[in-house]
Amino acid sequence: MSDTKGVLPYGSWPSPIEADDAARGDALLEWVGFLGDDVCWTEVLPEEDGRSGLMRRTADGVEEVLPPGWDVRTRVIEYGGRPWLALSGRAADGLVFTHGPDQRLHRWRPGSDPAPLSPPGAWPGELRYADFAVHGDEIWCLRETVADDTARTARRHLVAIPLDGSAAEDPSRVRELAATHHFMTGPRIEPGGDRVAWLGWDHPDMPWDTTRLMVAAVLPDGTLGAPAVRMGGEGEAVTQADWATDGSGTLYAVSDPDGWWNVHAVDRDGGTRSLCPRPEEFGEALWRIGLRWCLPLLDGTLAVIHGVGERRLGILGADGALTDFDDPATEWHFAATDGRRIAAVASSPGRRRTVVLADPADGSVRTVRAPSSEGRSLPSDAPAPAADGAAPYARTPTPDAYATTPYRRTYRGDDGEPVHVHVYPPHHPEFTGPDDELPPYLVLAHGGPTSRSHLVLNQEISYFTSRGIGVVDVQYGGSTGYGRAYRERLRHRWGLTDVQDCATAARGLIAEGLADPDRIAIRGGSAGGWTAVASIAAEPGLYRAAAVYYPVLDPVSWREETHDFESRYLDGLIGPWPAAADRYAHQSPLREADRIRTPFVLLQGLDDTVCPPAQAERLLQRIDPDTVPYRCLTFEGEGHGFRRSATVAASLRAELRLYADALGFTPAAAPSCSPS
């Protein structure tokens, strides 16, 4: 490979990362755990309609744990939760899991087919289960009962289900344990079984606003005593709780009374103390039931995931000393422990999602499931590309060689507030742009909005950067990872702060001479779709194109159309309805939709219960197609967040076509070589 790069216009660089590669390139690895000595995880299989297989590593490679066809996935609160649990430390005892199509709880033993433990609902998916614990001969868990497939009305209980399968045909065998709040996590049972803890919250709060840590005694007959609040309350969000392993009765809670999610010890008498007070986050927003960031180990230490705008894995000692693993991973997700080791999904700017096993005893971090999809390769005799891009691609060992090196940057808005961003510059190992040309940039607004995105190697972003299109991923005010004060910047200002911060990021790149001011586009999904549409309405001179995925757009109707979990979310983002009706009108992206002149593509799943298709339709009703070029692609069988590779690939191709037309470049032709 020559050290001299060819010169081609930005956006026109040939790339081996095609839309199909990007769609299947980053395996969605989730819900790690232990089955005996084996590390297991769920893995979305896009080529099988997005089914979630439960996988493990064996001497012969990665294999599914369950017989073919089982879908290990729960739809609790629509965003899901921990869907499986090993029944003991012995693999021979098997596991329990929720099966996606019917949402029933099943038990599996090696050498047999899974058998249902829970009764069927009145319709498939009426009863949903997540976040399991074993108590004697029962499974204790969260059960959600929804009224219909829109999930707009739901009730939740902690329940006990017999392991012998007797409840599969006799619903009366399911025991209801507690229903303290409209929303709850699953139970955490104290070692020895004397007490149980869980988190609860009620509308209009979301779990990052106010939650309460509940504790109840387990009585001799298996029922619960009167629950008591042990931590949390107005303006404080406990996001995780787990018991110490030493029998001391200490309960570890990740909470933010001081504005940061730190680890606290809750004593048996109710006293609390912060174990490692730092202006860092040791937890995340509880979008999915059963997530953990603080894991008690058998030696009395805690494995913790912590940081500001990133996450490292460390060991927190009894003396408050925190020692991080010497590993380059900057994001750790879905952590689990067998008491000695920690398994998780790890990633970094140089590594895609990987299942790893960390051992505090020797500080090692071992790969269990390497990143998949090494992508397209070329024969060894493939000729080098010509400067005009007409010749075939040079050979490359992996598309990861085409990944850019991202970096963090903080800009300041007009109000002086910081705006944190991740910058992904255009990169190609064999091409650069002309000296007199600046690259186009995509402003990426993440979903949530009370969430964040991760500075990691991302095949979907590489799809654009390897073609000469930069990406700036904006952690706008309201994002997690920077403490409660930064999250609260969006309170009652959704559609304002997020829009301003995205514009600040774009103008910051322009001011630094990194981006072409005439070739800026914006893309976003869900809440990011709201921000994208609001941005092209508010900043028509800044953005030349927009890609909008399954958006929320009309806040008034969305309150009635969305699922139960988020139906009062807007109380915090905009204000209580109808008292804040003026803000709903003013901050809605539809307010000035008829003034939009920016071309866009809109991509919508027709089975979306979070942001129903009616939201997208209300935008299109206000757009004059003779004035604004747009495309709308809808996908049968897709919900909120696309799972099928064909859907993702079609969406990316539609985006690239839009950007090429609107930003003025000609994409390189697809390679003629075959995938490896």
Side-chain angles (χ1 to χ4, degrees), residues 71 290 317 432 457 482 567 586 619 663:
D71 186 1
T432 187
L457 198 159
Y482 304 93
S567 61
H586 177 69
L619 172 65
L663 306 183

Side-chain angles (χ1 to χ4, degrees), residues 403-425:
T404 188
T405 301
Y407 59 90
R408 302 181 192 278
R409 186 77 167 86
T410 299
Y411 294 108
R412 293 279 172 177
D414 292 339
D415 55 4
E417 292 284 354
V419 179
H420 306 294
V421 306
H422 305 156
V423 181
Y424 293 79

Side-chain angles (χ1 to χ4, degrees), residues 434-664:
D435 290 339
D436 59 351
E437 182 183 343
L438 291 173
Y441 256 84
L442 311 181
V443 176
L444 175 56
H446 65 70
T450 312
S451 182
R452 68 184 181 98
S453 46
H454 309 126
L455 188 74
V456 298
L457 198 159
N458 180 301
Q459 191 89 317
E460 189 170 298
I461 288 178
S462 295
Y463 174 76
F464 295 110
T465 57
S466 63
R467 287 169 164 76
I469 307 164
V471 176
V472 57
D473 191 355
V474 186
Q475 311 304 298
Y476 49 81
S479 300
T480 57
Y482 304 93
R484 181 179 279 264
Y486 197 78
R487 294 202 310 272
E488 294 289 332
R489 284 188 57 221
L490 199 62
R491 187 165 188 81
H492 294 170
R493 289 187 54 80
W494 194 32
L496 302 174
T497 295
D498 49 325
V499 170
Q500 293 165 4
D501 286 0
C502 285
T504 292
R507 291 192 170 101
L509 289 171
I510 293 168
E512 290 186 289
L514 300 175
D516 186 337
D518 295 324
R519 295 198 290 174
I520 304 293
I522 188 167
R523 71 190 300 256
S526 190
W530 160 289
T531 302
V533 175
S535 293
I536 60 176
E539 296 273 4
L542 179 60
Y543 300 107
R544 303 304 171 93
V548 183
Y549 285 75
Y550 34 83
V552 52
L553 296 172
D554 178 13
V556 176
S557 65
W558 187 74
R559 293 176 64 257
E560 304 298 329
E561 293 173 347
T562 194
H563 62 139
D564 179 55
F565 176 62
E566 291 183 271
S567 61
R568 296 292 300 276
Y569 193 7
L570 299 185
D571 284 45
L573 293 176
I574 300 176
W577 177 266
D582 58 335
R583 290 204 295 268
Y584 279 73
H586 177 69
Q587 292 169 218
S588 168
L590 298 183
R591 180 174 67 97
E592 295 183 340
D594 58 349
R595 298 176 57 188
I596 290 175
R597 297 295 181 267
T598 303
F600 65 88
V601 60
L602 198 154
L603 307 124
Q604 178 69 50
L606 295 178
D607 294 349
D608 195 336
T609 59
V610 177
C611 295
Q615 289 287 306
E617 291 164 5
R618 290 188 179 93
L619 172 65
L620 300 184
Q621 290 167 1
R622 290 167 168 80
I623 299 296
D624 181 355
D626 294 330
T627 305
V628 183
Y630 74 82
R631 294 181 68 200
C632 179
L633 279 66
T634 58
F635 301 96
E636 295 276 0
E638 290 284 12
H640 197 65
F642 298 154
R643 297 174 66 89
R644 297 172 177 172
S645 58
T647 303
V648 177
S651 300
L652 289 174
R653 284 192 287 266
E655 275 198 75
L656 185 61
R657 175 179 168 184
L658 168 71
Y659 301 145
D661 292 342
L663 306 183

Side-chain angles (χ1 to χ4, degrees), residues 138-497:
E138 294 178 318
I139 290 294
W140 288 17
C141 63
L142 174 67
R143 182 189 68 193
E144 180 179 70
T145 306
V146 297
D148 56 41
D149 59 6
T150 68
R152 293 173 193 162
T153 303
R155 295 176 291 113
R156 295 166 189 88
H157 296 82
L158 300 186
V159 298
I161 301 175
L163 272 167
D164 63 9
S166 57
E169 302 297 334
D170 182 3
S172 68
R173 295 280 292 158
V174 178
R175 297 192 302 117
E176 294 183 355
L177 299 170
T180 55
H181 296 78
H182 189 56
F183 298 96
M184 296 183 293
T185 65
R188 296 287 179 267
I189 302 172
E190 182 181 14
D194 292 337
R195 292 183 295 168
V196 62
W198 65 92
L199 306 182
W201 67 97
D202 292 307
H203 280 147
D205 289 316
M206 297 298 284
W208 43 85
D209 297 325
T210 293
T211 64
R212 289 171 172 83
L213 171 58
M214 311 300 297
V215 176
V218 180
L219 303 180
D221 64 356
T223 61
L224 302 187
V229 178
R230 291 304 187 197
M231 197 172 186
E234 191 64 34
E236 179 182 347
V238 186
T239 196
Q240 186 208 328
D242 266 294
W243 297 96
T245 59
D246 59 5
S248 64
T250 298
L251 185 58
Y252 296 115
V254 180
S255 192
D256 66 346
D258 300 317
W260 295 87
W261 275 314
N262 282 184
V263 181
H264 298 76
V266 183
D267 299 329
R268 186 176 287 274
D269 62 4
T272 64
R273 65 186 188 280
S274 182
L275 299 183
C276 186
R278 293 186 177 196
E280 293 186 22
E281 302 282 42
F282 287 73
E284 300 273 7
L286 193 61
W287 278 99
R288 304 177 79 180
I289 303 298
L291 289 171
R292 302 171 75 194
W293 305 273
C294 172
L295 308 176
L297 305 180
L298 291 174
D299 64 2
T301 62
L302 298 170
V304 293
I305 296 172
H306 69 102
V308 179
E310 66 174 20
R311 294 292 181 270
R312 302 280 180 175
L313 177 66
I315 301 297
L316 180 59
D319 59 356
L322 180 58
T323 304
D324 287 343
F325 279 80
D326 183 15
D327 186 87
T330 55
E331 296 290 348
W332 295 76
H333 312 278
F334 304 103
T337 184
D338 62 358
R340 298 178 295 105
R341 304 167 298 167
I342 304 102
V345 177
S347 54
S348 73
R351 181 171 64 184
R352 287 183 278 145
R353 288 185 292 260
T354 306
V355 178
V356 299
L357 182 64
D359 190 342
D362 58 13
S364 64
V365 178
R366 181 170 62 86
T367 295
V368 176
R369 198 279 195 209
S372 65
S373 182
E374 293 304 313
R376 190 185 302 273
S377 65
L378 294 169
S380 59
D381 59 351
D388 62 3
Y393 302 121
R395 72 178 178 273
T396 176
T398 166
D400 287 355
Y402 289 77
T404 188
T405 301
Y407 59 90
R408 302 181 192 278
R409 186 77 167 86
T410 299
Y411 294 108
R412 293 279 172 177
D414 292 339
D415 55 4
E417 292 284 354
V419 179
H420 306 294
V421 306
H422 305 156
V423 181
Y424 293 79
H427 169 75
H428 195 294
E430 297 152 13
F431 286 98
T432 187
D435 290 339
D436 59 351
E437 182 183 343
L438 291 173
Y441 256 84
L442 311 181
V443 176
L444 175 56
H446 65 70
T450 312
S451 182
R452 68 184 181 98
S453 46
H454 309 126
L455 188 74
V456 298
L457 198 159
N458 180 301
Q459 191 89 317
E460 189 170 298
I461 288 178
S462 295
Y463 174 76
F464 295 110
T465 57
S466 63
R467 287 169 164 76
I469 307 164
V471 176
V472 57
D473 191 355
V474 186
Q475 311 304 298
Y476 49 81
S479 300
T480 57
Y482 304 93
R484 181 179 279 264
Y486 197 78
R487 294 202 310 272
E488 294 289 332
R489 284 188 57 221
L490 199 62
R491 187 165 188 81
H492 294 170
R493 289 187 54 80
W494 194 32
L496 302 174
T497 295

